[in-house]
Amino acid sequence: MVLARDQIEALEQLLSWFQTDKKKNPITLGGYAGTGKTTLISLLRKRLHEINPKLKVGFVSYTGKAARVLRQTLNHERCVYKQDTVGTIHSLIYTPVVNDKKEIVGWKRKEKLDRELIIIDEGSMVDGTIWRHLLGYKIPIIVVGDHGQLPPIRGNFNLIAKPTIRLEQIHRQARTNPIIGLSIQARENGFVRPGEYSSTVKKYRMSDPETREIANELLYAYDQDTLVLCGYNHTRKQLNTTLRQMAEIESSEPIVGDRVICLRNNYEKNIFNGMQGTILSIEPEDDDWYRAEIEMDGEEDRYKGLISVEQFYKKTALNFTDKRAKILKGDLFDFGYALTVHKAQGSQAKKVILFEERFKKMNDNEWRRWLYTAVTRAEEELYIFG
């Protein structure tokens, strides 16, 4: 395998850090889409195995869906050894609390971890609380992420804001991928030119007469492998209403089969802001709460608990309003057919339908990051309307 110069330098730096740095403060690796972050981490793991065949590495990501993708990629590269683990951060550092019926009723942090190195993928999704818990184990940590993406929407905590090591050279093979090509346009120019880049990667002008019909056809074909993205919360609400109508859902209230998104972390329930799922059962608990069971995408355990009635169709999460103290009884979910790009950070889908919307207060750099983040959510198909 031929490595780019920045990959070679990054690999040498990571090996030196692990072998000679006595303090082993956490080290961060940032890389744009197409720069070979996963390839580099795979090679690093192989080199570390040559140095110490018994080394125990924990590969982790923020959500079950992301962890599953990470596991598939690492297995393809044949760099996961029998003593390694691949899973969510939550499964690595928390252990379930089980009642007499063998039901999980909560989670508690483990006192010790049987790992000698932790490698975190999608590091920009890690919040301050989980990071403090990870640091408490005094285990070397490598954090990997894309420093071209948007920072977290709230708060100043961002592990990948200024990475120790940067990968910025796009591989020749990656450049042939039309989605990577559009990500470069977005990141460098803040603009994606209208046109057909492949049979499944296109940008449409809203001024063209057939564009609205094309958008409706794509929305009609919505399934769980689709992400519908936009900028404004009021657009998200409209799209969620439209997509539910297209699915012939007559009720304005959430029902079985509805797609939903979590809007607030709950460590005891193993749910985190931005995770999506599908309602399996739901019934009124009282005027303010539903009792629901939700199958969370990529997660083994189903969510069971109380979710806020009022949160559905709201423009913002209730925990950022004056009702914060009144909603501690349960959790916050909203319809999750369409998401803002900020809320979709850390998520990917085979098909992405993107409606470009720029906030008036956005500067050019913020807009480039917004557009780049949106484009890089797509794995195979990308349809942009702007």
Side-chain angles (χ1 to χ4, degrees), residues 79-95:
C79 65
V80 179
Y81 300 95
K82 61 181 181 180
Q83 70 271 25
D84 294 343
T85 57
V86 186
T88 62
I89 299 174
H90 195 274
S91 65
L92 178 71
I93 67 176
Y94 301 109
T95 188

Side-chain angles (χ1 to χ4, degrees), residues 120-364:
I120 303 173
D121 191 31
E122 295 285 356
S124 61
M125 301 302 297
V126 178
D127 63 27
T129 300
I130 286 183
W131 183 240
R132 288 192 297 274
H133 288 176
L134 284 165
L135 291 178
Y137 294 108
K138 308 296 183 183
I139 297 171
I141 301 174
I142 299 173
V143 183
V144 184
D146 188 334
H147 58 292
Q149 291 186 28
L150 286 165
I153 190 168
R154 297 185 187 276
N156 298 317
F157 189 83
N158 184 2
L159 287 173
I160 304 296
K162 296 180 180 179
T164 314
I165 306 170
R166 295 173 180 242
L167 297 177
E168 299 186 345
Q169 183 176 337
I170 310 298
H171 291 179
R172 184 180 302 173
Q173 185 177 0
R175 284 182 177 273
T176 64
N177 181 328
I179 293 173
I180 297 295
L182 294 199
S183 78
I184 297 170
Q185 279 195 47
R187 177 168 50 80
E188 294 182 351
N189 306 320
F191 180 74
V192 174
R193 293 184 299 274
E196 183 171 328
Y197 295 86
S198 77
S199 60
T200 56
V201 178
K202 305 175 184 180
K203 179 174 178 180
Y204 302 93
R205 291 184 178 88
M206 291 305 293
S207 57
D208 290 346
E210 69 275 12
T211 294
R212 189 170 296 277
E213 183 178 348
I214 293 169
N216 283 334
E217 288 176 357
L218 287 167
L219 292 175
Y220 266 116
Y222 174 91
D223 59 24
Q224 290 192 23
D225 291 325
T226 303
L227 269 178
V228 180
L229 302 178
C230 60
Y232 291 111
N233 268 311
H234 68 78
T235 305
R236 174 186 60 84
K237 288 177 59 181
Q238 291 172 352
L239 284 168
N240 275 319
T241 299
T242 298
L243 285 160
R244 295 183 81 240
Q245 290 172 346
M246 287 179 170
E248 298 182 352
I249 299 173
E250 297 180 358
S251 173
S252 61
E253 298 180 354
I255 64 171
V256 171
D258 261 323
R259 294 286 289 164
V260 291
I261 182 170
C262 174
L263 300 182
R264 181 176 62 181
N265 296 342
N266 184 336
Y267 300 101
E268 292 185 357
K269 291 281 189 179
N270 190 25
I271 56 170
F272 303 99
N273 189 5
M275 289 175 62
Q276 292 175 274
T278 302
I279 295 177
L280 299 178
S281 67
I282 187 167
E283 58 184 23
E285 176 78 3
D286 53 37
D287 290 342
D288 299 318
W289 299 96
Y290 297 114
R291 183 166 294 279
E293 181 176 357
I294 301 170
E295 184 172 29
M296 306 304 297
D297 294 354
E299 304 293 328
E300 293 182 4
D301 301 315
R302 294 173 175 177
Y303 168 87
K304 295 180 181 179
L306 298 177
I307 63 176
S308 169
V309 171
E310 188 177 354
Q311 181 62 74
F312 286 87
Y313 290 114
K314 288 290 183 183
K315 286 186 178 181
T316 189
L318 293 177
N319 54 314
F320 294 107
T321 69
D322 57 3
K323 297 186 179 182
R324 182 184 183 93
K326 299 179 181 179
I327 54 172
L328 298 177
K329 180 179 177 181
D331 297 296
L332 303 180
F333 285 82
D334 197 358
F335 294 116
Y337 297 91
L339 312 179
T340 63
V341 172
H342 278 96
K343 191 63 73 176
Q345 292 178 76
S347 298
Q348 284 188 301
K350 289 182 179 179
K351 180 194 295 184
V352 167
I353 304 168
L354 170 63
F355 295 89
E356 285 185 348
E357 292 183 316
R358 179 170 178 168
F359 299 99
K360 292 181 180 179
K361 294 182 179 180
M362 268 187 176
N363 60 39
D364 288 345

Side-chain angles (χ1 to χ4, degrees), residues 9-22 24 27 44 48 51:
E9 293 174 353
L11 181 59
E12 291 175 350
Q13 192 170 346
L14 288 168
L15 285 168
S16 175
W17 165 82
F18 190 74
Q19 291 179 280
T20 64
D21 189 335
K22 292 182 180 180
K24 286 191 176 58
I27 192 167
L44 173 68
L48 290 173
I51 296 166

